[in-house]
């Protein structure tokens, strides 16, 4: 059995651990340097984001062993192109042995329900447009997401 819950402040260590698994997997699949992502101080940041309420996290729990096996994090944004407020999926990870078993879809369902309660117009997510992530793109499409084009880019401000 599977249970989806909203993460609490006390969940910051396991959410941080799962986030680090996510980063390692992305780096392995893309042959990228771990320096692609800033992970120093992640545990403190995760705790702060959960405490402040700017970061909403849903966690998936395997009820057979009470282990947290995945998570999805969201934040709210606003734009004219989205016609108001909307949600951005910031991080999303499910342990590999639990993939293709409905865990990710249930996490997305919780995110959609939460967004509906906040009157969000949409959910957005960025995925690398690389062949290594074709299954990820298919997963999102199978859950109602549409490709809107473009690439995610960043500019570091120091």
């Amino acid at each position: 059995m599977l249970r989806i819950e909203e993460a609490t402040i006390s969940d910051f260590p396991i959410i941080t651990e799962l986030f680090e698994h996510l980063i390692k997997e992305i780096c392995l699949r893309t042959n990228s340097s771990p320096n692609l992502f800033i992970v120093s101080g992640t545990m403190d940041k995760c705790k702060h984001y959960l405490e402040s309420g700017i970061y909403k996290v849903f966690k998936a729990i395997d009820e057979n062993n009470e282990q947290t096996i995945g998570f999805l994090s969201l934040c709210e944004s606003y734009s004219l192109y989205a016609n108001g407020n909307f949600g951005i999926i910031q991080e999303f990870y499910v342990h590999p042995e639990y993939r293709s078993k409905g865990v990710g879809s249930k996490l997305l369902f919780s995110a959609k329900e939460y967004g509906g309660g906040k009157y969000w117009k949409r959910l957005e997510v960025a995925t690398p447009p690389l062949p290594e992530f074709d299954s990820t793109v298919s997963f999102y499409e199978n859950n109602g997401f549409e490709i809107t084009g473009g690439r995610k880019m960043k500019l570091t401000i120091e």
Side-chain angles (χ1 to χ4, degrees), residues 102-119:
V103 177
S105 294
K106 288 181 179 175
L107 284 165
L108 276 179
F109 179 79
S110 294
K112 289 181 208 176
E113 276 194 328
Y114 177 79
K118 302 280 284 177
Y119 301 103

Side-chain angles (χ1 to χ4, degrees), residues 18-144:
L18 292 171
F19 167 76
E20 290 172 354
H21 286 297
L22 170 65
I23 297 308
K24 286 177 188 170
E25 184 175 330
I26 290 171
C27 291
L28 282 172
R29 288 172 70 180
T30 62
N31 294 316
S32 301
S33 162
N35 295 333
L36 181 64
F37 302 96
I38 299 169
V39 293
S40 64
T42 302
M43 194 171 289
D44 291 335
K45 290 174 191 164
C46 183
K47 182 180 180 190
H48 170 71
Y49 295 164
L50 287 168
E51 284 175 330
S52 69
I54 61 172
Y55 194 66
K56 181 61 67 181
V57 177
F58 292 96
K59 62 181 184 173
I61 300 164
D62 180 340
E63 291 183 314
N64 294 322
N65 58 19
E66 289 301 311
Q67 295 292 318
T68 300
I69 57 171
F71 82 104
L72 179 150
S73 66
L74 296 164
C75 70
E76 186 172 47
S77 191
Y78 303 83
S79 75
L80 297 173
Y81 76 83
N83 196 27
N85 58 334
F86 65 100
I88 300 172
I89 297 172
Q90 297 292 357
E91 294 100 12
F92 192 176
Y93 180 78
V94 174
H95 273 293
E97 61 269 20
Y98 289 92
R99 292 180 189 165
S100 298
K101 296 181 179 181
V103 177
S105 294
K106 288 181 179 175
L107 284 165
L108 276 179
F109 179 79
S110 294
K112 289 181 208 176
E113 276 194 328
Y114 177 79
K118 302 280 284 177
Y119 301 103
W120 290 350
K121 308 293 184 213
R122 67 208 275 165
L123 279 176
E124 292 186 357
V125 65
T127 60
L130 304 169
E132 294 85 0
F133 291 92
D134 283 348
S135 63
T136 303
V137 172
S138 293
F139 164 78
Y140 284 115
E141 288 177 323
N142 290 337
N143 280 279

